[in-house]
Amino acid sequence: MDARLTEEHERVQETAREFIESEGGIDLARRQIDGENVIDDLWDELADLDYTAITVPLEYDGFGEGMVYLAALLETAGRYALPGPLPETAAVAVPLIRDLGTEEQRSRFLPAVADGDLRMSVAVYDDETEPLPGSIQMGVERRGDEETTEFRLEGTKTLVPYAAETDVVIVAARTRESQGYEGVSLFAIETDHDAVEATRMDSLDWARPMYELSIDGLTVGEDALLGPLHGGGSALVTAMDRFSVAGTAMLVGAADRAVELSAEYGNEREQYGHPIGRFQAVKHRTADMWVDMQSARSLVYYAAWALDEDEPDAARAAAATKSFAADRLHRVFGDDIWNHGGMGFTWDHDAHIYLKQAKSWRNFLGSPEANRDRLIDSRLAAERKR
């Protein structure tokens, strides 16, 4: 692979940076934290810039780009903790509909996403204390006969990003008694239905809200089923890998900004007549932050490329990315607060926003330990094939 971003990727990053800064930069996240819904207006602007169409296939009015292109955009968005379900829509929902959807579903959803008229999210957890896939517990009752099939969904999904700010949520549920990812089916559920209610959770990251999604006896037809009955599990695993890489790309952008903030403060703040950045305790810590950020960036773009190219080690690359970034970038944001003498301990400083995002992201879709287990299992499986 060629690890360098192309000139086009860099132009996208530059344009996105200019746009987000013109809209207020990280103040957008602060307004979201303060309870203002900035997403509606912001999403219209993102659609005008065609960012919502990036991963939508060409034949459905999109640009047909993959994870590398999207990661480049999300890295820039992460510098400003940009609110909005862009990772959920572009990295998860669009590829699932592209790969599993019927022609009717693709025609219904994908052009609307490209135009900015449809925002989407994904609901996988039933119990936030249980890791995946064990946390997928919602059972679905199948009704009807050979000619008409209906499904009745009932239960509560938790940790659903932006559920109240999206139009459709892809819900993972079990359509037969099973364990692991076997027997998992995916349903595209509209959130404005009377039987669907989203309640905001008291989560760590106030800029990227999480919701509980209560589904009270919702009956849907086959047109809501995404992919084969009982057979959505493997596609969901790949979708979660895309989600991990997309979220980590945003954290890399935030970490890049954290390194800049530490370097700037180290040059401005003086002690004993010298900038504190000259002292080893600050200088070496900032250098370590930069190394961790660059290492995570390399892992993100390799994993994004591997997913785009359907490489055999794509899942392993996504697990390595999440495992490394969840630990090391968390440390980067903590060190940034140390370098600022503890100023980032409150929401008043940007460093706190980044730290809370890293804490929120650390165990979502798998802890570092769970991803290291995936790496070990993958290695052992490869050894057994030799």
Side-chain angles (χ1 to χ4, degrees), residues 254-264 286 289-290 293 332 336:
D256 193 15
R257 180 58 183 150
V259 173
E260 287 180 0
L261 289 171
S262 278
E264 290 168 3
T286 306
M289 290 166 60
W290 184 86
M293 180 274 294
V332 165
D336 185 33

Side-chain angles (χ1 to χ4, degrees), residues 33 67 82 106 110 113 150 221 238 244 267 316 374:
I33 289 169
M67 282 299 301
L82 190 73
R106 293 178 188 138
L110 296 180
V113 169
E150 292 182 335
T238 303
S244 283
N267 286 326
R316 193 161 62 234
R374 284 184 71 190

Side-chain angles (χ1 to χ4, degrees), residues 88 93 96-97 109 118-124 153 157-172 186-192 196 198 211 213 215 218 224 226:
E88 292 80 2
L96 278 175
I97 294 169
F109 293 128
L118 190 72
R119 301 191 293 249
M120 305 185 76
S121 187
V122 60
V124 288
L153 287 76
K157 306 296 286 189
T158 189
L159 297 177
V160 184
Y162 293 105
E165 287 86 20
T166 51
D167 308 288
V168 173
V169 173
I170 295 177
V171 174
L186 304 176
F187 296 88
I189 302 300
E190 295 177 0
T191 56
D192 64 353
V196 178
Y211 288 84
L213 193 70
I215 304 176
L218 175 66
L226 199 57

Side-chain angles (χ1 to χ4, degrees), residues 93-109:
V94 168
L96 278 175
I97 294 169
R98 179 197 63 201
D99 296 341
L100 298 181
T102 62
E103 183 54 39
E104 190 277 330
Q105 289 171 326
R106 293 178 188 138
S107 299
R108 176 157 48 112
F109 293 128

